[in-house]
Amino acid sequence: MVTLQARSGPVGLPEWDRCAVMGVVNVTPDSFSDGGRWFDPELAVKHGLDLVAQGADLVDVGGESTRPGAKRVDEAEELRRVVPVVRELAAAGALVSVDTMRGSVAEQAVAAGARLVNDVSGGLADPAMVPAVAAAGVPFVVMHWRGQSIDMNNRAVYADVLGEVVAELRSGLERAVAGGIDPARIVLDPGLGFAKDAGHDLTLLAHLRELRALGRPLLVAASRKRFLGRVLAGDDGAPPPARERDAATAAVTAIAAREGAWAVRVHEVHASADAVRVARAIEAAGA
Ligand code: PMM
């Protein structure tokens, strides 16, 4: 049985008595599930505030798509996309996370009010990231990552996906701590869909307890991902489009919440906010 202590979040953020819901604000023209919809900064801010109204505890602002095959955006463009949106959302009272692989973007986003740095590369993409986060003293998400999105599918090769992801996350945690980040501020994330096929993602979701045994809060980001398309595919094998995977996403949210995840990262907040409340109620009834 999951205990409430086991769900404790990173130092530096509020504690919720249930799995937290992080809403996604992609300020990009090309993200795989909602690319272009919130590319205008005013629309992005409005979208972030709508997600908070729907029950998001945090909003995660990103300016670079990480979909498979994506090319990198340059630093100036990423800063231009992200920093004004972070500033406005934070000023409006939202708890903002910044989704970036660049230390400079993390630093400027924190100066603009971001309270959490979410790096899909876990500090591997930019040697300036860990020192920037250590100096800023904010919580840091270390995601499991094996290389840039342009060719990450080639790295989806495992003899034992759970064992390898656990070992590589442990190395990421140790690297961040060696670089000066307080371990109590670190969150781990299995990186669903990053150098992983559908079977790998499902195996990791089947073993969230083993990932939690790493002793850090866990973020689960399944929203609209390819593995859900694969699970939901019809007889012809065609997956439903990304925007028709929100009910499936909420199903993963309920399971992740029940397994003690600290937070889920989702595009459509309403259903996941309900799912975590139901999971919490069931947990309380069984305590
Ligand atoms: N996935 C995406 C972007 N950011 N951050 C974390 N911590 N974990 C993830 O799995 C993750 C992420 C890609 O999805 P999107 O393009 O729909 O935002």
Side-chain angles (χ1 to χ4, degrees), residues 24 26 31-33 66 99 118 120 141 143 189 194 219 221 225 265 267:
V24 178
N26 281 324
S31 273
F32 82 97
S33 71
T66 51
D99 184 345
N118 171 26
V120 298
V141 177
M143 197 192 82
D189 178 336
F194 286 80
L219 174 64
K225 284 190 173 166
R265 177 184 180 279
H267 299 87

Side-chain angles (χ1 to χ4, degrees), residues 12-31:
L13 291 180
E15 286 283 345
W16 295 278
D17 73 343
R18 53 169 169 73
C19 179
V21 177
M22 175 188 278
V24 178
V25 180
N26 281 324
V27 196
T28 59
D30 60 343
S31 273

